[in-house]
C-alpha cells in the first residue's frame, strides 16, 4: 500500500498517528541538522521534518539528496508544528519521518512547478505534463470536471438522455471545413469528423427520445485564431415538443445551477433582448452588460450644421463615458488611433467633454455651439464630468466601431469585473446573412433553423428581414451558446435549402436522410449547444480556452508535445489508396 | 405549450383533469361510432377516446383520418376506463379528447414500430431513426444512459477526475491499424484517431492527477467481425500510487455499484484466477463460470493402452456433462462434427456414457475396459447419468477445442442464464505472445505493461514465461475490461521496447514524449479500460453491441443511413494535398 492518507488530508486531529504518504518533492529546506521537505500530491502539501541524530541516519542521508519533483513514499508520525501555516489545510502539523522510499528520481524540470512559472508558453506546451502539475492549470481541470458532472446531473434530473452520436460521419461542405478520414475498406471514400452532432440529435428527436444531451468533441478545420482549437467540446442538447421559451427556461436553469453549484454564485435572471436591439444599443450581438454605456443615436439631431462628416453620414452615434471628462489630449489621440485601426476602421473620433465646471468642450466646436452640445448631452443623459465619444459613417460599420470603443473604454475604466456575471438571451436573429465571397445568402445559424412564421412571406422579397427562431446565451459579452427551433417540415426544409443555393440533388445527396426522416412523423423540436471550453474558461476567469484544455494544440494546429500531425508510413498510405501531392 | 403531461404519466389520481398531450399515433381502433387511439411518447402510451355525437364533429372527423406515426397534440379530460389494462401505468384511465391538432403527418413506415418488428436488419439500419422508436432499442439506450451516469457518480465519489484527452493524436504502428486524418495546414502530414487514450492517461498520472476517468470513443481500423465497430466506447481509468489489488478492489466496487443501481442485482464477490489456471480448467482466458464443467486432464492415466490417438497425444483432456448419458448416437455425431469445424479443428471426439444403470460405455471400448473407464469416471468425479467428452492432441489446441465444446454443451443444456452474472478477475497474464506473421514477440496487453519483478530475469532466456501485472475483468465468459500496472521507469520501458523489436529511433519517434516524461518523476501507476458497449449489451441481455449503439455501422464499416463513407469534393482533396490512387 503506497499511502494511508493524501498530502492534503492531515490536520491536528491526526496528532501522533503513524501514517504513510506518497507524492512529489515540492521544496527542500536543508538547514544542516534539520531538513524540511514539502511533499505534494493533487490534494495538497504536507511538511516533512528530518532531524540529525533523531531521524534514522540512512533516512536522513537519503533526505539530504532529494531533489525537486522526486517521487517519494514516507512513513512517520504526525506532530504539531512549531510555527503554523494558516494558508494550507495541513498547516498545523508536520510529519516526523521514520521511513523514506524514493519511488522515482527526477531530472531538474525545464521550468519551475509554481503558480507563477518561469517557463514560456512554448516550453510549457512541449512539457504539458509538467505544466499540468502547476496549481492554476490543475485547478482549471478540476473545475472543468465539476462543471461537467453538474451539467449532467441537472440534465439527467429533468429526463435528458445522454446518447453518443457517431464520430465517423459524412462530409457536408455547408459551414466550416470538415476534417476527413480516409476509408481503407472503401478506397477513395472518406468519413468526416462531426462539426457538431446537429443532424443526429434531430434524428433522435424524430426517434422520440424527447430530450437528448451529450458532452461531445466537435471538429472544425479552420485557420486558427488565438482562441480556437481544431477540436473543441460542446454541451449539446435537443428537446422535442418545445417552443423557444421552453428551451430558454431550461437552459437558463442550467446556467443558474452551474454557477450556483460550482462557483457558489447566484446568477441573476436573464434579460431577453432582440438581435436588433442589441445591435442598436451595443453595436454587437453579444453585449457585455456588466456596465451600461449604451450607444445613443444622434443621427436625427446633429445634421445640418455644415459639418460635412456628420451631414454625409448614414448614421451618427456615440457613447457617454462616465466621469472621464478629464481625459487628456494624449489619451484622446490614442482613442482616435484605436478606432482608426484597420479592424475597426472608423474615420475619426468626435469628443465632447462635459467639464466638472459644467462647460461643454468638443473637438467640433467650430460647427456646434454650446446649446447644440447641451442638446447632445441631454440626449446622452450625460452629467457634468462625463465624456462623450461620437463616431459617424455607414450605420453597420459605425455601430461595430462604437461597440469596439465601448469595450475599450470599459477595459480602461476597469468595468469588466471577472467576479461578476451578467447573462442575457439574444433572440430573433436574422435567418440569413449575405456571404460576400460566395455571392449568395447563407444561414446565419445553420440550414435547419426555422424562420419566424410571421416573417416567412418575406423570404422571396426581403430575405434579410426574415427573423429566425434562433437565440444565443451571452454572459459578460461572451457567446456561451446558441441554438434554434428547427424546421420539422419537409417542404419548408426543401424551401430553405433552395434559398441557400442548394440544388435538389445536392440537398438530397447531403441531407437526404434527414429530409426522408421528416416524412415519418417529425415532432416540433429545437435545441442548443453550449461551448464547454468557453464556459469553463469563464468559470476559471481566464481569457484563453487553452488554459482549460488538458492537451491543447497551438495556433498552427500542432500538438508540440507528441509532435502531431506527422508523417505516416508509406504502407499506410498505400492501404488507404492515397498519394501525397502537395502541388495544386 | 405542447403538453401538460407526458404519455406515461396519467393515472387515476388525474381523473377529471383537463390535460394536453403530444406524441405519435401508435394504434387506431375505429369501431365506427367509437374511435380509440393510442398516443405514444418516450415515457409511455395513453389511450384516447373519441365518440360520435359526443366528441366535436371536426375533431371526430380528423381522428378518423389519422394514420400510424402521425404526430398529434390533443387536449381533453381524464376519465376512468371501462376495461382497464394492468400492463401499462396509464391503464386505468383514458382521455376524452376535445381538441386535436395534427403536428405532422407520416407516411406508412417501412416496418412496424412494434417490439417485434417485421423489418429486416438492413432495412432497420437504413431507417435507424424509426428503429429507435421501438421499445427494445429505445430501452437499451435508456439503460446505456443510466450506466454512464452511475459509472461517473461512482468514480466522481472516490475522487476520480474526468479529463478529456485529444482525438487528433499521432499514428503509432504498434497494435491495431489507426484511422488517420490528413492535415490541411501541414500538407502530407496526418493526425491519427486514438485507439485508446493510453499514453495520455499515463501522462495525466505523471502530472499528478492521481485518479482519472473518461467515457470515451476509441477507433480501430480493423476488418470487422460480427461484433466489432470501427468506433467504440471505453470507460477508461487510471490511478497513481496503486498496486494491482487497489485497482481490482476499486473496479470490483464499480461493477457491483452498476449492477446494483441499474439492474438491482447483487453481484457476488469476484473470484481471482490466474491465467494459467483459467487455461488449464477452462481452456480459455475468459471462462464462463455460470456453470462448472471444468476440464479434467487425463494425460497421465490414459496412455499405454495401444490407442494410438492417446498414446501419440501431447495432452488428453475432457469434460463431464451432467445428466447427459442419454445423448443419442446422432447427437454425438453432431458434436463430433462440431469439434471438427475448421475454427476448432479437433481430430475426433471420444465419449463415455455413464449409464443410469451404472454401466460405462465408450467409443473406445476396444482399448479400454470397464475398470479403466471407471478410473476415468473417478478422475472426472462423474456420477451415473453423466456423459464424458474427451479430446486429444497438441495441448494448447486441445484446450481451445475443449473450451469450445464446453460452451457448446452449456448452450445445449441451457446453462447460460442471462439473468445470472458470475464475475471474476483473470490475473497474471503472460507479458508477451508470439506473433507468427511478424516473427517476433509482441506485448499481450500493450508495450506499457509492467512485468512481474520476480519473472523479470527470464525476459532474455524464457520470455514466454514472464508474467505481467495484467488483469481482465470477466463476467459470464465475456471480457468486460482489462488493464495493467504500467512501467514507470525509463530504463525498463526502453528494455521493453527493445524486446518488442523497436529500434531506439522508432521508440524515440513514436513514444519519445512518454519516455521523456518518465525522466521527471513518474509515479507508480496502473489502470483499466472497460468496454462500455459490451458492458451495456450484457446489461441489456443482448449478444450484439449494435443493439446498444444509437447509430452503429454495418460489417463493412458503413453507416447505411447517412451513406458514409462517401466521396468528397475534388477541391477538398486538393486542399489536403492528396490524390486518390486505388492501385497499389
Amino acid at each position: 500500500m503506497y499511502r494511508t492518507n493524501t498530502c492534503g488530508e492531515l490536520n491536528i486531529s491526526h496528532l501522533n498517528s503513524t501514517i504513510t504518504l506518497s507524492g512529489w518533492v515540492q521544496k527542500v529546506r536543508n538547514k544542516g541538522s534539520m531538513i524540511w521537505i514539502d511533499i505534494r500530491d493533487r490534494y495538497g502539501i504536507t511538511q516533512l521534518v528530518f532531524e540529525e541524530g533523531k531521524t534514522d541516519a540512512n533516512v536522513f542521508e537519503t533526505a539530504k539528496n532529494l531533489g525537486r519533483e522526486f517521487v517519494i513514499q514516507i512513513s512517520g508520525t504526525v506532530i504539531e508544528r512549531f510555527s503554523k501555516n494558516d494558508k494550507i489545510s495541513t498547516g498545523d502539523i508536520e510529519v516526523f519521518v521514520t521511513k523514506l522510499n524514493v519511488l522515482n528520481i527526477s531530472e531538474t524540470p525545464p521550468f519551475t512547478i509554481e503558480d507563477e512559472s518561469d517557463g514560456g508558453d512554448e516550453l510549457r506546451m512541449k512539457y504539458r505534463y509538467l505544466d499540468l502539475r502547476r496549481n492554476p492549470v490543475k485547478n482549471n481541470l478540476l473545475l472543468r470536471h465539476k462543471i461537467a458532472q453538474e451539467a449532467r446531473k441537472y440534465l439527467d434530473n429533468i429526463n435528458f438522455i445522454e446518447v453518443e452520436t457517431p464520430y465517423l460521419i459524412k462530409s457536408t461542405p455547408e459551414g466550416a471545413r470538415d476534417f476527413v478520414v480516409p476509408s481503407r475498406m472503401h478506397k477513395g471514400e472518406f468519413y468526416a469528423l462531426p462539426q457538431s452532432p446537429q443532424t443526429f440529435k434531430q434524428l433522435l428527436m424524430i426517434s422520440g427520445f424527447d430530450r437528448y444531451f451529450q458532452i461531445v468533441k466537435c471538429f472544425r478545420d479552420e485557420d486558427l485564431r488565438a482562441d480556437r482549437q481544431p477540436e473543441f467540446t460542446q454541451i449539446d442538447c435537443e428537446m422535442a415538443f418545445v417552443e423557444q421559451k421552453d428551451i430558454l427556461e431550461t437552459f437558463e436553469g442550467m446556467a443558474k445551477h452551474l454557477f450556483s453549484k460550482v462557483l457558489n454564485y447566484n446568477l441573476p435572471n436573464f434579460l431577453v433582448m432582440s438581435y436588433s436591439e442589441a445591435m442598436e444599443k451595443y453595436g454587437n450581438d453579444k453585449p457585455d452588460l456588466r456596465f451600461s454605456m449604451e450607444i445613443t443615436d444622434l443621427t436625427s439631431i446633429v445634421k445640418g450644421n455644415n459639418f460635412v462628416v456628420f451631414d454625409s453620414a448614414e448614421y451618427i452615434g456615440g457613447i457617454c463615458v462616465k466621469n472621464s471628462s478629464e481625459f487628456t489630449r494624449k489619451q484622446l489621440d490614442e482613442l482616435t488611433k484605436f478606432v482608426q485601426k484597420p479592424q475597426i476602421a472608423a474615420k475619426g473620433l468626435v469628443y465632447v467633454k462635459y467639464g466638472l465646471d459644467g462647460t461643454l468642450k468638443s473637438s467640433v466646436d467650430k460647427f456646434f455651439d454650446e446649446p447644440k452640445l447641451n442638446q447632445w448631452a441631454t440626449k446622452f443623459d450625460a452629467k457634468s464630468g462625463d465624456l462623450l465619444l461620437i463616431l459617424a459613417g455607414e450605420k453597420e460599420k459605425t455601430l461595430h466601431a462604437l461597440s469596439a470603443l465601448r469595450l475599450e473604454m470599459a477595459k480602461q475604466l476597469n468595468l469588466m469585473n471577472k467576479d461578476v456575471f451578467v447573462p442575457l438571451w439574444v433572440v430573433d436573429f436574422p435567418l440569413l446573412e449575405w456571404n460576400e465571397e460566395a455571392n449568395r445568402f447563407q444561414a446565419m445559424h445553420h440550414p435547419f433553423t426555422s424562420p419566424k412564421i410571421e416573417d416567412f412571406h418575406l423570404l422571396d422579397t426581403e430575405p434579410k428581414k426574415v427573423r429566425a427562431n434562433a437565440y444565443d446565451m451571452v454572459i459578460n459579452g461572451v457567446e456561451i451558446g446558441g441554438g434554434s427551433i428547427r424546421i420539422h417540415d419537409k417542404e419548408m426544409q426543401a424551401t430553405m435549402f433552395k434559398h441557400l443555393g442548394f440544388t435538389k440533388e445536392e440537398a438530397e445527396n447531403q441531407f437526404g436522410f434527414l429530409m426522408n426522416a421528416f416524412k415519418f412523423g417529425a415532432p416540433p423540436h429545437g435545441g442548443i449547444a453550449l461551448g464547454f471550453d468557453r464556459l469553463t474558461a469563464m468559470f476559471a476567469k481566464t481569457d484563453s480556452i487553452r488554459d482549460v484544455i488538458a492537451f491543447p494544440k497551438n495556433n498552427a494546429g500542432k500538438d508540440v508535445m507528441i509532435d502531431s500531425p506527422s508523417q505516416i508510413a508509406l504502407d499506410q498510405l498505400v492501404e488507404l489508396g492515397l498519394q501525397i501531392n502537395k502541388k495544386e
Side-chain angles (χ1 to χ4, degrees), chain A residues 44-151:
Chain A
I45 281 179
T46 300
Q47 181 164 294
L48 310 177
V49 61
F50 305 78
E51 188 174 352
E52 199 163 20
K54 249 173 109 183
T55 300
D56 172 275
N58 286 328
V59 169
F60 194 82
E61 198 54 32
T62 309
K64 271 202 320 210
N65 294 309
L66 292 178
R68 278 201 291 132
E69 302 305 319
F70 275 44
V71 187
I72 60 172
Q73 178 190 35
I74 63 96
S75 294
T77 311
V78 180
I79 58 178
E80 192 162 1
R81 268 208 218 184
F82 183 70
S83 60
K84 300 193 174 173
N85 178 350
D86 59 10
K87 284 188 198 128
I88 58 173
S89 64
T90 63
D92 289 347
I93 58 96
E94 57 191 3
V95 176
F96 181 83
V97 176
T98 52
K99 277 188 220 160
L100 170 58
N101 182 10
V102 178
L103 297 173
N104 216 338
I105 59 172
S106 174
E107 293 184 10
T108 306
F111 50 85
T112 54
I113 313 292
E114 306 276 356
D115 290 5
E116 296 291 332
S117 173
D118 59 359
D121 204 53
E122 189 82 354
L123 197 64
R124 288 190 293 105
M125 283 301 142
K126 184 164 161 54
Y127 296 90
R128 181 63 164 176
Y129 46 87
L130 297 179
D131 198 31
L132 288 171
R133 286 186 189 165
R134 297 170 51 238
N135 278 325
V137 192
K138 180 192 80 176
N139 289 338
N140 286 350
L141 293 192
L142 296 184
L143 192 70
R144 187 179 179 110
H145 163 79
K146 201 161 176 202
I147 300 172
Q149 309 315 307
E150 287 298 337

Side-chain angles (χ1 to χ4, degrees), chain A residues 278-317:
Chain A
M279 294 309 287
E280 291 284 343
K281 280 193 179 163
Y282 304 97
N284 195 319
D285 61 1
K286 37 179 195 284
D288 189 335
L289 300 188
R290 280 175 294 184
F291 49 94
S292 59
M293 217 191 290
E294 286 173 15
I295 294 170
T296 298
D297 181 354
L298 301 174
T299 316
S300 63
I301 63 165
V302 298
K303 294 217 174 197
N305 289 274
N306 298 321
F307 182 46
V308 69
V309 172
F310 283 1
D311 288 353
S312 67
E314 181 192 3
Y315 175 90
I316 305 103

Side-chain angles (χ1 to χ4, degrees), chain A residues 384-399:
Chain A
S384 161
D386 293 349
L387 171 69
L388 309 181
L389 300 175
I390 296 160
L391 301 177
E394 204 230 298
K395 180 167 181 180
E396 213 169 294
K397 285 184 183 157
T398 306
L399 284 169

Side-chain angles (χ1 to χ4, degrees), chain A residues 475-490:
Chain A
I475 305 179
N476 292 3
V478 176
E479 180 197 327
I480 292 298
S484 65
I485 299 295
R486 324 299 182 188
I487 297 167
H488 66 281
D489 178 82
K490 191 175 175 301

Side-chain angles (χ1 to χ4, degrees), chain A residues 553-554 556-560 562-568:
Chain A
K553 293 184 176 55
N554 73 10
K558 264 199 166 302
D559 183 327
V560 296
I562 62 172
D563 185 25
S564 169
S566 59
Q567 293 186 359
I568 58 173

Side-chain angles (χ1 to χ4, degrees), chain A residues 255-375:
Chain A
K256 286 178 172 173
H257 176 88
L258 295 179
F259 274 88
S260 159
K261 293 287 173 180
V262 179
L263 291 186
N264 197 21
Y265 185 89
N266 210 340
L267 201 63
N269 288 335
F270 284 45
L271 206 73
V272 178
M273 186 183 292
S274 73
Y275 171 86
S276 61
E277 185 183 349
M279 294 309 287
E280 291 284 343
K281 280 193 179 163
Y282 304 97
N284 195 319
D285 61 1
K286 37 179 195 284
D288 189 335
L289 300 188
R290 280 175 294 184
F291 49 94
S292 59
M293 217 191 290
E294 286 173 15
I295 294 170
T296 298
D297 181 354
L298 301 174
T299 316
S300 63
I301 63 165
V302 298
K303 294 217 174 197
N305 289 274
N306 298 321
F307 182 46
V308 69
V309 172
F310 283 1
D311 288 353
S312 67
E314 181 192 3
Y315 175 90
I316 305 103
I319 55 174
C320 170
V321 188
K322 292 278 151 203
N323 307 315
S324 301
S325 65
E326 305 297 294
F327 259 51
T328 63
R329 181 64 198 236
K330 189 168 164 237
Q331 284 175 300
L332 289 163
D333 282 352
E334 262 161 26
L335 282 183
T336 304
K337 267 187 226 150
F338 173 82
V339 298
Q340 287 173 335
K341 285 197 300 187
Q343 59 272 46
I344 300 177
K347 296 244 165 63
L349 174 70
V350 170
Y351 65 78
V352 181
K353 290 177 168 186
Y354 197 156
L356 289 167
D357 57 1
T359 59
L360 286 153
K361 281 189 193 127
S362 83
S363 55
V364 287
D365 283 348
K366 260 193 277 180
F367 304 98
F368 300 93
D369 55 16
E370 199 148 343
K372 279 277 170 207
L373 296 180
N374 238 316
Q375 196 191 347

